[in-house]
Amino acid sequence: MLSSRTRRTDTDVVIIGGGPAGLATAHRLSAAGLAVTVLEAAPRIGGRLVTDHRDGFRLDRTSQLAFPDSPALAELPRQVPLRRLTGGVQLHGAGPTTRLGATADTQEAAPASFDQLWLRANLARLGQLPDEQLDARPEVTAAEALTSRDIPARIAEEILRPLLAALLHDPELATSSRLGDAVLRAFARRGLALAEGGAAALPEALAAQLPPGSVRTGTRVTSAATTVVETESHGEFRCRAVVVATGAATAARLLPGLRIPSFHQMTVLHHAAPALPVARPALLVEAGARGPVAHTMAASAADPTRAPAGFTLLTSVILGPQAAEPADLLDKAARPQLGELYGVSADDWRLLAAHHDPWAVPALPPPHPGRRPVRLLDGLYVCGDHRDTPGITGDLASARRTTEALLTDLGLPTTHAA
């Protein structure tokens, strides 16, 4: 009698979820010579990386800043150029504006303050730290790390606290200091960037690398085992292995007993404004609690494809419990604050979209488990940023680990999946 791994199958691997983790896994497995079928419940691929098109604007549904030149992003197809925020990060509202991470050709000519000199020196030092030294630090919350380390109080509270809140999407800084250190180190090394054409360009480029017919949208999976996947209205798919690459809540529904992390919620506001004279794109971070917006940027200044000629696209992020408030109230409260941040009146700006995501970013308080297992059984795997670190980098890192585990279990070489 044939074993379940050698019976007739419809495909080699069924991947549940057409977001970046699932598509990156499919891309790697296909490169290794396996037939893959990606099942996505939504009418289009992308998961959280969805870009809506409205009146010539490209509007991301979530905040997806990336660290350019990171090893994970270097594996993406070359059709996805990243546009750097050459102006770095600007912190407003708590004393003089502080600028961090600007590229060398855009540094301010004015003499640097003590705060800026301290930050440049210490961020540069952090950028050089290897993993073993970073992991050797005592693990506490990111908030506790700011008060327990030898950091000047004003710099800790007025600069590093809002900066970390923006990078971690965690206004309370309850995240593990290990993740906070890793994210701050990545920022110190590489700065920030956006995907040209919107966040959806990343999954679309991955899907374009797959054989025709590999991805099926509008296909909701109801159950998954090691060799068969049942769907709501498209029958069953028999296979040699199954990868669950959905969000954490859906993964837990399909895989009873899987731990679900808590999440940080987020609301993204998109405004259209007459063309603003933005010298260089930067992330403007609110350091003075003047309104609901945690950070904002002129997205079209970094990526002109996001707005039609004659307009600027302003993308702003609201974090914490207030992100759940009605969009019209958030818009009304945000406009005076945005006007101060950009130095112009925001009264005549047009609200293009407001998207609230209660499951935007996995919360990872201490003790931070690091990488969670992606192999559940021989033939059953799970991946996504909830198995690694939050964001696209964690999606891609877990896809790599899932691919290596699956190929090893099938007795296939892993070198061809790079």
Side-chain angles (χ1 to χ4, degrees):
M1 181 177 179
L2 293 176
S3 74
S4 62
R5 301 298 291 277
T6 57
R7 292 173 183 166
R8 184 173 63 85
T9 60
D10 300 306
T11 186
D12 288 323
V13 182
V14 170
I15 298 171
I16 306 169
L23 292 170
T25 302
H27 177 57
R28 286 179 165 277
L29 293 175
S30 179
L34 293 176
V36 298
T37 298
V38 179
L39 304 180
E40 169 57 50
R44 57 179 172 177
I45 61 170
R48 296 187 310 276
L49 301 190
V50 172
T51 302
D52 296 318
H53 294 251
R54 184 168 302 169
D55 299 335
F57 293 90
R58 299 185 181 186
L59 313 176
D60 289 347
R61 293 190 182 181
T62 188
S63 173
Q64 284 294 334
L65 290 168
F67 299 112
D69 304 326
S70 68
L73 292 178
E75 299 172 3
L76 287 170
R78 296 185 181 275
Q79 304 95 303
V80 188
L82 295 178
R83 298 300 182 188
R84 292 177 180 268
L85 301 187
T86 56
V89 170
Q90 299 178 10
L91 294 108
H92 296 258
T97 298
T98 301
R99 294 172 171 83
L100 300 172
T103 56
D105 59 340
T106 60
Q107 296 285 0
E108 295 295 319
S113 66
F114 167 80
D115 291 355
Q116 289 175 318
L117 291 173
W118 189 96
L119 286 161
R120 287 178 190 174
N122 283 275
L123 286 176
R125 187 177 299 114
L126 177 63
Q128 299 300 317
L129 280 185
D131 288 344
E132 54 270 20
Q133 291 189 32
L134 214 61
D135 293 341
R137 292 179 168 186
E139 186 184 18
V140 292
T141 67
E144 291 169 333
L146 289 179
T147 59
S148 62
R149 295 174 181 172
D150 188 19
I151 303 173
R154 184 178 67 249
I155 293 177
E157 288 302 310
E158 297 181 4
I159 299 175
L160 290 179
R161 177 178 286 276
L163 173 62
L164 275 170
L167 296 177
L168 296 170
H169 300 100
D170 175 14
E172 302 300 323
L173 293 190
T175 301
S176 165
S177 59
R178 289 187 179 174
L179 183 57
D181 289 342
V183 167
L184 199 58
R185 181 182 64 175
F187 168 71
R189 287 177 173 178
R190 306 181 179 98
L192 298 171
L194 290 173
E196 182 180 298
L202 300 174
E204 288 169 358
L206 288 167
Q209 304 293 311
L210 299 176
S214 298
V215 180
R216 303 190 183 198
T217 57
T219 306
R220 184 176 184 274
V221 172
T222 56
S223 68
T226 54
T227 58
V228 64
V229 168
E230 299 280 353
T231 68
E232 190 172 70
S233 55
H234 294 79
E236 68 176 25
F237 291 81
R238 291 162 295 178
C239 54
R240 300 170 67 189
V242 172
V243 177
V244 178
T246 65
T250 300
R253 174 177 62 82
L254 296 173
L255 304 169
L258 191 71
R259 178 187 177 274
I260 304 178
S262 57
F263 285 82
H264 300 303
Q265 59 182 322
M266 174 192 306
T267 290
V268 178
L269 301 178
H270 293 289
H271 288 96
L276 299 180
V278 180
R280 51 189 181 274
L283 186 72
L284 309 186
V285 175
E286 175 59 56
R290 294 172 296 179
V293 171
H295 53 88
T296 181
M297 63 180 166
S300 57
D303 175 16
T305 69
R306 294 178 180 238
F311 291 91
T312 299
L313 173 64
L314 293 311
T315 298
S316 308
V317 173
I318 299 166
L319 302 171
Q322 60 187 338
E325 294 180 4
D328 57 341
L329 296 182
L330 292 175
D331 177 41
K332 182 178 180 180
R335 285 177 185 264
Q337 179 190 13
L338 292 172
E340 291 187 52
L341 286 167
Y342 287 101
V344 298
S345 172
D347 292 344
D348 61 345
W349 293 2
R350 178 161 61 103
L351 180 64
L352 295 167
H355 184 75
H356 175 65
D357 185 356
W359 304 284
V361 179
L364 296 174
H368 177 37
R371 294 178 168 180
R372 298 185 183 278
V374 294
R375 182 188 185 276
L376 304 182
L377 297 169
D378 182 1
L380 186 60
Y381 312 84
V382 58
C383 69
D385 69 345
H386 52 94
R387 311 306 293 175
D388 214 280
T389 56
I392 182 64
T393 300
D395 283 325
L396 299 178
S398 71
R400 169 188 278 274
R401 293 193 292 126
T402 299
T403 302
E404 293 174 349
L406 192 155
L407 292 176
T408 298
D409 287 346
L410 290 180
L412 300 174
T414 60
T415 54
H416 298 299

